């Protein structure tokens, strides 16, 4: 059986519908894709801005911690302790340092060989930390902060 034959009015109507519907469908599709691109672009910019903000926060925290490390390294009581005066109580210096910078979890002093001689963490006492990169840098005289 062959498909029904359309009359000329039906054919013209069908052609008009096709020619009217195709541009309409294409017109609706373009804004949808454009909107998707705009959303993706906006999300990328937002993520990049947030990443920049996080980098700034981390850099500020690290700089503050390095400043604290420099202050501790030049503290009179810490210097006396490192020079061998074991009568100095560095725990009060440590407590003040941690109070001044809540981001600091612990404070330790290592000897020239990288062995912990004072710390806010009792279990760290006597441990050899010389293999840790930040301790190796500190032993070379470079201010360093560890994780």
């Amino acid at each position: 059986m062959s498909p029904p034959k359309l009359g000329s009015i039906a054919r013209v109507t069908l052609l008009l519908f096709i020619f009217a519907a195709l541009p309409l469908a294409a017109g609706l599709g373009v804004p949808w894709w454009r909107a998707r691109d705009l959303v993706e672009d906006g999300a990328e910019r937002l993520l990049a801005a947030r990443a920049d903000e996080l980098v700034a926060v981390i850099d500020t925290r690290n700089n503050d911690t390095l400043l604290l490390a420099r202050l501790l390294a030049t503290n009179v009581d810490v210097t006396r302790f490192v020079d061998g005066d074991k009568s100095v109580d560095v725990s009060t210096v440590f407590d003040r340092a941690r109070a001044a910078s809540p981001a600091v979890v612990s404070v330790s002093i290592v000897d020239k060989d990288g062995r912990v001689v004072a710390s806010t963490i009792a279990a760290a006492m006597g441990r050899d930390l010389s293999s840790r990169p930040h301790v190796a840098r500190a032993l070379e005289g470079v201010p360093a902060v560890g994780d």
Side-chain angles (χ1 to χ4, degrees), residues 66 69-70 133-145:
L66 277 172
R70 285 187 187 103
H134 64 282
V135 174
R137 282 194 309 274
L139 293 173
E140 293 171 359
V142 178
V145 175

Side-chain angles (χ1 to χ4, degrees), residues 1 16 23-24 27 34 44 46 53 55 68 70 72 74 77-78 85 88 92 95 99 103 107 113 117 122 128 132 147:
M1 179 173 177
L16 285 174
L24 180 63
R34 174 127 170 78
E44 285 175 14
L46 179 63
E53 181 182 331
V55 165
L68 181 62
R70 285 187 187 103
L72 284 171
T74 58
D77 290 335
V78 172
D85 186 354
V88 176
T92 56
D95 291 341
V107 180
D113 298 319
V117 293
D128 181 4
R132 297 204 179 177
D147 51 347

Side-chain angles (χ1 to χ4, degrees), residues 70-93:
R70 285 187 187 103
L71 291 172
L72 284 171
T74 58
N75 178 281
V76 174
D77 290 335
V78 172
T79 305
R80 283 180 37 216
F81 181 85
V82 170
D83 287 341
D85 186 354
K86 300 307 179 205
S87 68
V88 176
D89 182 14
V90 290
S91 64
T92 56
V93 176

